[in-house]
Amino acid sequence: MHKYLRSVGFSSYQKRKEIEKLLNILEQTTDRRQFIQIDPESKFCEVRAEVAPGMGIVMAGEVDEYGFFHREYYYPYLTSMDDSSSADCSIQRHTEKETFAGLLDENRVGISLIFYLDNSFEYMARILGRIPARVMSVRLSSFAAEGKILLPLHKTKKQIEMARVAAKDRNHLMEAARNGDEEAMETLTIEDIDLYSQISRRVMREDLYSIVDSCFMPSGIECDQYTVIGEILHVEKKENKITSEIVYDLTLNCNDVIFHVGIAKLDLTGEPMAGRRFKGQIWMQGTAVFQEQTTENGMV
């Protein structure tokens, strides 16, 4: 079973037979289907079963020449309408199946951010149709199997503004360093040494989470999983229409990157509220917003 199936409200489905039965029901009761002709005898099909607004399960596989759908894989999805990043993004296919990963060169998190592509069907259709697949922006969302709510850090308006300016300056330095600017590299190195020295002194007398406001770190051996601490901007409750379980859709600001986290109410410790912080390990997915196709007469 998919580890994050519980994050869309299916925590009671533990056995493979139960999950297969659930997927069969969802497949039969939804009409959200898309098809791509792969060869004369079969075509690829994606089925989206919504269990709450903007949340559900995707099933994908092939439809044979007799019209039978053969499910190859499934995964939960959470839709986001917030643009998270407009950094350069490349997309590559996974080895074992028709799924894709996106890679963002995002300076704000300090790493190359890898995510599971949610709209892989659209990407495949563009590639097969020889339509440009340039990514203009990415809307990130994620799931967490467990998480905690942390109290916010008290900051004055002046401190918030200073932090915003410092982050902007650091992003410019990192961009310059990526382009080979040796002076920018030296400045960043000095800043990191100073920061390490400050943290080493503060950690002796302060709690770690009063020092670390937010973080974005790779977690485990899978490249699209991260440990995050981020400020909650908005909280939305969603109810799974099949199980009646409550799922929180949290909008987070982590290192100035806005994205959504879906987590079951029973897996979250604490009461989520705007201004508080969320800490947990997430599986990151995202929707790529592609450049519109152009014609001689303009956009289509």
Side-chain angles (χ1 to χ4, degrees):
M1 64 171 288
H2 199 286
K3 177 181 177 181
Y4 295 99
L5 190 61
R6 64 185 298 111
S7 301
V8 290
F10 291 111
S11 62
S12 60
Y13 289 79
Q14 301 292 335
K15 297 180 180 179
R16 185 175 297 275
K17 288 184 178 180
E18 295 175 343
I19 297 171
E20 287 295 323
K21 184 178 179 180
L22 169 67
L23 296 177
N24 289 335
I25 293 173
L26 292 174
E27 178 191 329
Q28 295 168 8
T29 55
T30 183
D31 58 358
R32 296 182 61 184
R33 301 170 186 266
Q34 299 183 84
F35 298 91
I36 296 179
Q37 193 72 42
I38 299 176
D39 54 56
E41 296 182 352
S42 63
K43 50 188 174 183
F44 187 77
C45 176
E46 180 188 87
V47 180
R48 283 187 178 256
E50 190 174 79
V51 298
M55 182 181 79
I57 295 177
V58 173
M59 294 163 281
E62 285 192 7
V63 177
D64 60 24
E65 65 270 27
Y66 302 107
F68 292 107
F69 175 65
H70 301 277
R71 185 171 57 247
E72 296 180 4
Y73 62 90
Y74 72 96
Y75 65 90
Y77 74 91
L78 179 66
T79 302
S80 169
M81 300 305 295
D82 300 317
D83 286 341
S84 302
S85 175
S86 57
D88 291 338
C89 178
S90 59
I91 297 174
Q92 294 187 3
R93 183 186 182 276
H94 289 132
T95 304
E96 75 279 11
K97 53 182 179 288
E98 293 288 342
T99 58
F100 298 83
L103 186 146
L104 281 168
D105 291 327
E106 183 54 73
N107 292 329
R108 291 175 292 179
V109 297
I111 57 174
S112 294
L113 198 159
I114 299 173
F115 62 92
Y116 186 98
L117 186 66
D118 181 36
N119 59 331
S120 58
F121 187 93
E122 180 184 359
Y123 178 72
M124 291 172 59
R126 283 176 172 265
I127 296 301
L128 292 174
R130 301 185 181 276
I131 301 173
R134 181 186 175 190
V135 180
M136 303 304 294
S137 64
V138 175
R139 297 167 179 172
L140 296 173
S141 57
S142 61
F143 289 106
E146 60 179 352
K148 297 179 180 178
I149 299 299
L150 305 179
L151 293 175
L153 296 179
H154 176 70
K155 292 182 179 181
T156 63
K157 291 183 179 181
K158 183 178 180 181
Q159 288 174 322
I160 295 174
E161 183 60 30
M162 289 176 62
R164 185 179 294 112
V165 172
K168 186 176 180 180
D169 292 343
R170 183 175 177 82
N171 288 338
H172 288 320
L173 285 171
M174 291 186 68
E175 185 65 30
R178 288 168 62 90
N179 294 328
D181 190 327
E182 294 185 1
E183 185 176 347
M185 296 180 190
E186 183 178 347
T187 301
L188 286 170
T189 301
I190 294 173
E191 286 184 356
D192 287 344
I193 293 174
D194 291 341
L195 181 61
Y196 177 79
S197 178
Q198 293 176 20
I199 293 175
S200 298
R201 291 195 301 268
R202 292 183 59 185
V203 78
M204 300 297 292
R205 63 181 188 277
E206 296 182 47
D207 181 79
L208 176 63
Y209 297 121
S210 67
I211 301 173
V212 180
D213 186 10
S214 66
C215 77
F216 205 110
M217 295 176 56
S219 177
I221 61 175
E222 294 189 56
C223 54
D224 53 9
Q225 297 200 18
Y226 304 89
T227 296
V228 300
I229 300 176
E231 180 187 357
I232 300 174
L233 301 179
H234 179 70
V235 179
E236 181 180 354
K237 281 186 179 182
K238 297 186 176 183
E239 181 178 348
N240 185 309
K241 64 182 181 182
I242 297 176
T243 64
S244 298
E245 291 186 28
I246 300 299
V247 173
Y248 285 119
D249 179 359
L250 308 177
T251 306
L252 296 190
N253 180 351
C254 184
N255 289 24
D256 290 329
V257 176
I258 308 298
F259 62 94
H260 289 241
V261 176
I263 182 170
K265 182 179 180 180
L266 56 87
D267 293 330
L268 183 62
T269 302
E271 185 67 24
M273 293 179 61
R276 295 181 178 178
R277 292 179 293 166
F278 169 84
K279 174 183 179 293
Q281 181 178 331
I282 64 170
W283 170 55
M284 184 66 77
Q285 61 179 218
T287 301
V289 179
F290 297 104
Q291 183 181 23
E292 292 292 336
Q293 184 182 8
T294 58
T295 64
E296 294 181 359
N297 296 325
M299 309 296 287
V300 297

